[in-house]
Amino acid sequence: MTDFNAIAARLHNAAMSAEAVAQLDVELSTGEAYEVQRLSIERRIAGGDRRIGIKMGLTSKAKMAQVGVDQMSWGRLTDGMLIDDAGTLARSRYIHPRAEPEIAFRLKRPLEGKVTALEAYAAIESVAGAIEIIDSRYKDFKFRFSDSVADNASSAALVIGAWHSASVDFGNLGISLEVDGDPVEIGSSAAIMGHPIRSLVAAARLMAERGDSLEAGDIVLSGSATAARPLVAGTYVRARFEALGQATFMVGE
């Protein structure tokens, strides 16, 4: 019988020590992988972290192509993953971190199960430009879909820019990711499932499949509109969002 607690401990320890581990030697089902994810994040919460929401993964063709999978995933966010806007990310705390620009939602009411786009809109309190830092805990950033899910969908950290009214039209916003002032990735929020609201609808549905739901106050990262870029110590990273401003951070040692 597969020891889910042992796998969760292995992935948790890899994240805490910034030491990569080999790909899992057993292929988990999707349900088993989400159970490992839950057990792993429970270890963070037991250590003092607080749940703040979820991230959606693989919501654009660019991301699916980059990691070689064809379905969405989601992972859990805790306050220990937050980096202040214009703050510093310590490169040594991660294995092979990459940055990607995303649209972030903050909810004012719960959202659960099969919901419509209108219901999802009604649950949004505010919208922001954000940067997610992903960091697979597997060697060489290589994994199967279920491996990634177990590894909290590769989520490692996030930076959120200024919050804006939910009335902002975020359906087709120009987005650029810059390193030291040079654009390295350019995209549109429309690359996120055709419209980021569809990512929020999918988040409610996928969480319900695992017996979970979105709560008032939760933050939801909608997934990246571009491929992710590796982070190098000593660089300045900025994501610019049409109508939503920017999110930035320095990459420290």
Side-chain angles (χ1 to χ4, degrees):
M1 182 177 293
T2 303
D3 189 338
F4 300 145
N5 271 300
I7 298 173
R10 180 183 175 203
L11 292 171
H12 173 76
N13 292 338
M16 295 300 101
S17 65
E19 295 182 3
V21 297
Q23 187 182 66
L24 302 183
D25 55 11
V26 58
E27 186 167 3
L28 303 171
S29 69
T30 299
E32 291 171 339
Y34 276 110
E35 175 62 10
V36 171
Q37 178 192 122
R38 183 187 67 80
L39 292 168
S40 179
I41 297 304
E42 276 189 356
R43 290 173 175 267
R44 292 193 183 212
I45 292 173
D49 276 19
R50 177 177 56 83
R51 175 191 184 278
I52 60 170
I54 72 162
K55 59 75 58 84
M56 292 292 288
L58 309 174
T59 55
S60 71
K61 291 182 179 179
K63 284 301 300 179
M64 287 183 180
Q66 188 177 34
V67 300
V69 301
D70 61 359
Q71 56 183 309
M72 291 180 292
S73 64
W74 62 275
R76 293 163 165 88
L77 301 175
T78 71
D79 60 349
M81 299 178 185
L82 282 169
I83 297 171
D84 290 340
D85 189 20
T88 299
L89 175 145
R91 173 64 179 78
S92 60
R93 290 184 56 193
Y94 305 91
I95 301 168
H96 25 223
R98 304 177 181 185
E100 52 188 37
E102 311 212 358
I103 301 296
F105 302 115
R106 185 166 58 192
L107 303 185
K108 62 184 178 183
R109 64 182 64 166
L111 201 60
E112 181 178 8
K114 293 183 178 180
V115 300
T116 66
L118 287 177
E119 289 170 328
Y121 268 116
I124 299 171
E125 177 183 89
S126 47
V127 183
I131 304 172
E132 183 186 7
I133 293 84
I134 58 173
D135 185 29
S136 173
R137 269 58 69 164
Y138 301 110
K139 291 178 180 178
D140 303 320
F141 222 106
K142 294 185 181 299
F143 45 78
R144 294 166 296 210
F145 175 77
S146 60
D147 295 342
S148 171
V149 168
D151 188 31
N152 201 31
S154 300
S155 192
L158 66 155
V159 180
I160 302 175
W163 291 102
H164 296 261
S165 167
S167 63
V168 171
D169 183 356
F170 50 82
N172 187 21
L173 301 179
I175 300 172
S176 66
L177 183 68
E178 301 174 356
V179 175
D180 290 336
D182 296 324
V184 294
E185 296 286 347
I186 296 176
S188 164
S189 60
I192 303 167
M193 299 183 70
H195 194 299
I197 198 65
R198 293 177 181 152
S199 178
L200 186 55
V201 170
R205 174 178 55 80
L206 291 173
M207 289 188 74
E209 291 175 0
R210 305 270 72 84
D212 209 338
S213 62
L214 294 166
E215 305 298 334
D218 275 357
I219 293 167
V220 179
L221 296 182
S222 63
S224 181
T226 74
R229 298 292 295 201
L231 297 178
V232 178
T235 56
Y236 174 68
V237 179
R238 171 168 55 190
R240 293 179 183 266
F241 303 84
E242 183 183 2
L244 294 177
Q246 63 182 27
T248 72
F249 66 93
M250 285 292 303
V251 184
E253 296 295 332

